[in-house]
Amino acid sequence: MLSYPHPSDRPSLTPQNFDTSPSRARLPNFSMTAPIQTLPAALVQRMAAGEVIDSLAAVVRELAENALDAGANRITLVLWADQWRVQVADNGAGLTLDDLQQAALPHSTSKLTQADELWNVRSLGFRGEALHSLAQLADLEIGSRSVKSLDGWWVTYDRQGNPVDMEVAAIAPGTIVRISNLFADWQARRQSLPSLAQQLRTIQLIIYHLALCHPHVTWQVQQGDRPWFAIWGSETPQQILPQLLRDLSPTDLHHSEHTVVDDHDLQLTLGLPDRCHRYRPDWVKVAVNGRIVRLPELEQSILNAFRRTLPRERHPVCFAHLRLPPDQVDWNRHPAKAELYLKHLDDVRSQLYDAIQTALQQSRSQLQANFYSGRMGQLIRSAEAEGTYPSRQIPFPGGLVADGTEDSDAPTVQAELPSSELRAIAQLHQMYIVAEHSTGIWLIEQHIAHERVLYEHLCQQWQVVSVEPPLILSQLRPAQVEQLQRLNLELAPFGDDLWAVRTLPQALDHREDRADALVELSLGGDFDSALVATACRTAIRNGTPLSLSEMQTLLEQWQATQNPRTCPHGRPICLQLKETSLSRFFRRHWVIGKSHGI
């Protein structure tokens, strides 16, 4: 940093000091000695409009949120994107003539009356800027009729939000807002916006988000005179998501209400991991009090909760809607309210994680009818289980019970079972267990079912035992040594590039490939990866013959797990064939005479 000892030593900022060649950008000509002054109100308002309304999508968002705040359950949106026109109509409470005269004035709102209510926001909009900003940026018209009035009114506004033309109109209760010539006086802004196709995709995503947060609302969206898409209102997001993701069915989803604490509600809608996942985490959504927001901490908690239920590089479908007391949410972080400040964030993260784990354990649904194509599609359907998976302590192979102690009799602690318990009846190709269920037939792959059992057992109790003589491993990198030590294994140098391992996981104690298994564990990235690798290596291999009693024991162990749908790698474990589908396939409803052409 240069400093000058005396003001007279500073270089003169005269035009002669600047390079005025055409190749150099010229500095703007302004005086640094101009007095500080207050900006004109009109200029301040124009800048405020830029913060709220910055695109076609922002227009749709603000108007749709106003409609929802008015109690609408049917909203119709018409877009003329190439003409920069938008119309939003709703069947909400409507506005009186007095309300219409003030609606577009700056900071005019019915949602706040005093300063304290800024910390007790119970509506989607509250700043009173949207309609005024729209009046500044476009031609604004509003037609509305209050549910308490017999007359409706059409009002046209000037650029300052003042009503300039009012006339009586025949209109149903509700509100219609028309925006024309958006950004007509701001051509630079029009040119800086993304392509119209990209703006339309953003608008579609905004409607999707609002539909998830307010599932009771029906949306009809048009481009000009042509229908674009519609979302039909329902009771829960479980019926909304399949309308947004066409490859889903309501039976692929699980919906649950979960109380976080006394005054907090958490509503969860998630895709069952054995049939519903995506290449990108684009449908991991978090909403707070009716609006989807960006909360990376909670989104990461959702991904962590699904970690050992999905295949590698696949992401869940999950919508979490938090209903929190208004005094715990600060919306004054982002002009579009896409971000917020949340109190007690760490507590909410842990409770969200626990809620997802509970939902994965309790979820029960059936596969969609067209999950499989062709002739098999008529046969293969999933049955909805008639009860939750039982919670039991069942002996593990080798006489180990769930608490990890040795027991020669391998006793079981009985718990209440559903009336329709699985019964093993056969083994298919020494790979699949065929089980009878009250609703039909289940096929369970023996290796991954046993892998799920062992993984959850290892998660609860990871034990290491001494080994004599020690196992000798060679050519271990420093990272591999650190990983084995992280698993509480004892190893020490045993010569040039050799290591002596004196303890190993109990599950590997009697295996002949113990050395290879330890090398595999050393390559894992963390402790959980080691648990998965150990469970996979020690699980029953496909091709191993099992007796009926062994199959029955495995089925009971598998039903007792917390996440019985998938293995730790995310592979589905069970295929369910519904008895009603078998009946339909074999045409048991036919009359014999008709089947013979009589």
Side-chain angles (χ1 to χ4, degrees):
M1 177 177 176
L2 297 178
S3 60
Y4 301 97
H6 192 273
S8 61
D9 295 330
R10 299 174 182 173
S12 175
L13 298 178
T14 61
Q16 293 86 344
N17 295 108
F18 296 107
D19 184 355
T20 59
S21 61
S23 61
R24 299 292 299 273
R26 299 191 179 187
L27 296 177
N29 185 18
F30 60 89
S31 172
M32 296 296 294
T33 60
I36 297 175
Q37 57 186 351
T38 302
L39 293 175
L43 181 55
V44 172
Q45 292 168 356
R46 286 163 69 99
M47 290 189 294
E51 294 178 1
V52 179
I53 306 299
D54 57 2
S55 62
L56 272 172
V59 174
V60 172
R61 181 189 66 240
E62 297 292 342
L63 296 182
E65 290 181 353
N66 279 348
L68 292 170
D69 282 339
N73 60 15
R74 180 178 293 274
I75 300 175
T76 302
L77 168 66
V78 186
L79 296 165
W80 296 268
D82 55 340
Q83 302 175 31
W84 299 90
R85 295 169 56 199
V86 178
Q87 175 178 296
V88 176
D90 67 70
N91 65 346
L95 301 171
T96 64
L97 179 58
D98 291 340
D99 291 334
L100 287 170
Q101 291 175 336
Q102 301 184 65
L105 295 176
H107 303 292
S108 297
T109 179
S110 62
K111 302 165 188 176
L112 291 180
T113 57
Q114 53 190 4
D116 292 345
E117 294 179 3
L118 276 174
W119 315 111
N120 192 30
V121 175
R122 298 179 181 273
S123 57
L124 295 176
F126 55 88
R127 296 174 179 173
E129 298 174 341
L131 292 178
H132 179 66
S133 298
L134 285 171
Q136 294 177 296
L137 297 171
D139 298 333
L140 173 63
E141 297 176 77
I142 301 179
S144 186
R145 173 186 157 194
S146 171
V147 294
K148 300 179 181 179
S149 174
L150 297 177
D151 297 325
W153 292 86
W154 270 108
V155 180
T156 303
Y157 300 87
D158 63 14
R159 284 290 187 263
Q160 299 306 316
N162 298 304
V164 295
D165 187 17
M166 295 178 288
E167 61 181 16
V168 179
I171 186 174
T175 303
I176 302 175
V177 182
R178 291 176 180 169
I179 302 298
S180 307
N181 299 317
L182 182 65
F183 303 136
D185 299 332
W186 280 264
Q187 290 297 322
R189 178 170 296 182
R190 280 188 180 183
Q191 296 170 4
S192 66
L193 290 174
S195 66
L196 288 179
Q198 186 171 346
Q199 293 187 64
L200 290 174
R201 286 194 295 270
T202 303
I203 290 172
Q204 185 180 39
L205 188 60
I206 287 174
I207 301 300
Y208 282 3
H209 286 176
L210 292 174
L212 281 175
C213 295
H214 307 272
H216 65 283
V217 179
T218 294
W219 301 81
Q220 293 177 295
V221 187
Q222 298 177 211
Q223 292 191 47
D225 297 331
R226 295 179 295 112
W228 183 12
F229 66 90
I231 303 172
W232 306 107
S234 184
E235 295 183 0
T236 67
Q238 186 174 9
Q239 283 72 40
I240 299 297
L241 261 173
Q243 300 182 57
L244 314 183
L245 299 174
R246 299 297 181 180
D247 56 339
L248 286 184
S249 152
T251 58
D252 294 326
L253 304 168
H254 173 71
H255 175 78
S256 63
E257 297 281 352
H258 179 79
T259 301
V260 179
V261 291
D262 292 343
D263 53 354
H264 297 186
D265 263 356
L266 172 60
Q267 185 184 67
L268 272 178
T269 304
L270 51 88
L272 300 178
D274 54 343
R275 65 193 70 168
C276 180
H277 37 74
R278 297 176 66 81
Y279 287 107
R280 295 182 298 155
D282 54 343
W283 278 95
V284 174
K285 309 285 186 182
V286 176
V288 176
N289 293 355
R291 179 186 283 110
I292 288 184
V293 294
R294 294 191 294 267
L295 279 172
E297 299 87 354
L298 297 187
E299 293 168 6
Q300 188 59 48
S301 294
I302 293 174
L303 295 176
N304 290 340
F306 280 90
R307 184 180 179 190
R308 287 304 173 191
T309 62
L310 294 176
R312 184 181 303 175
E313 307 300 333
R314 299 290 285 186
H315 303 278
V317 173
C318 183
F319 172 61
H321 195 170
L322 288 158
R323 302 281 185 178
L324 303 178
D327 59 355
Q328 296 191 15
V329 183
D330 182 1
W331 293 104
N332 296 288
R333 180 175 183 176
H334 191 278
K337 299 181 279 290
E339 300 176 4
L340 49 77
Y341 296 103
L342 194 63
K343 296 181 181 179
H344 311 302
L345 181 59
D346 290 340
D347 292 340
V348 174
R349 287 181 62 183
S350 62
Q351 291 157 355
L352 174 59
Y353 181 92
D354 293 341
I356 294 175
Q357 292 294 320
T358 301
L360 290 175
Q361 296 171 29
Q362 296 179 347
S363 60
R364 297 173 298 164
S365 69
Q366 59 184 8
L367 282 173
Q368 61 190 37
N370 58 353
F371 191 81
Y372 295 94
S373 60
R375 183 178 179 86
M376 288 299 292
Q378 303 174 22
L379 173 64
I380 301 178
R381 303 225 181 162
S382 263
E384 181 171 354
E386 294 299 328
T388 58
Y389 289 108
S391 175
R392 303 176 64 187
Q393 267 194 328
I394 299 173
F396 284 81
L400 277 175
V401 295
D403 61 0
T405 59
E406 292 290 341
D407 189 338
S408 58
D409 297 329
T412 61
V413 180
Q414 297 293 333
E416 185 178 353
L417 295 175
S419 58
S420 55
E421 187 178 8
L422 280 179
R423 184 173 68 88
I425 57 177
Q427 185 184 32
L428 180 63
H429 298 310
Q430 297 183 349
M431 184 181 303
Y432 305 103
I433 298 174
V434 182
E436 181 183 17
H437 189 269
S438 63
T439 60
I441 298 175
W442 291 19
L443 295 177
I444 300 95
E445 204 212 272
Q446 61 190 38
H447 170 72
I448 57 178
H450 195 208
E451 184 179 334
R452 166 55 67 181
V453 171
L454 295 178
Y455 170 72
E456 294 195 4
H457 174 59
L458 292 173
C459 287
Q460 295 176 2
Q461 187 140 3
W462 173 263
Q463 288 190 339
V464 297
V465 296
S466 300
V467 56
E468 289 293 342
L471 296 175
I472 307 300
L473 303 181
S474 62
Q475 298 180 343
L476 294 180
R477 298 190 303 272
Q480 292 178 273
V481 176
E482 293 178 5
Q483 171 67 2
L484 292 177
Q485 292 173 341
R486 195 178 298 122
L487 302 179
N488 296 326
L489 302 186
E490 180 184 344
L491 68 164
F494 194 69
D496 189 16
D497 216 6
L498 296 175
W499 294 84
V501 181
R502 303 186 183 280
T503 59
L504 78 164
Q506 185 184 44
L508 303 175
D509 188 19
H510 300 293
R511 296 184 62 90
E512 296 180 357
D513 58 349
R514 294 178 297 177
D516 294 337
L518 290 176
V519 172
E520 181 180 350
L521 294 182
S522 71
L523 298 174
D526 53 23
F527 183 73
D528 190 62
S529 299
L531 298 182
V532 175
T534 303
C536 184
R537 180 173 283 270
T538 55
I540 298 170
R541 294 295 175 186
N542 286 329
T544 303
L546 299 176
S547 66
L548 281 177
S549 61
E550 291 172 331
M551 288 187 284
Q552 186 64 39
T553 299
L554 178 55
L555 291 180
E556 293 175 353
Q557 293 175 350
W558 165 64
Q559 289 182 97
T561 59
Q562 294 182 350
N563 294 295
R565 292 190 172 275
T566 58
C567 76
H569 297 100
R571 294 170 55 195
I573 295 175
C574 177
L575 174 64
Q576 304 169 24
L577 306 181
K578 195 172 183 179
E579 195 278 334
T580 55
S581 299
L582 295 172
S583 175
R584 187 179 300 111
F585 178 79
F586 289 108
R587 307 292 193 268
R588 292 216 304 267
H589 61 284
W590 281 15
V591 178
I592 298 300
K594 289 185 178 181
S595 67
H596 288 284
I598 300 174

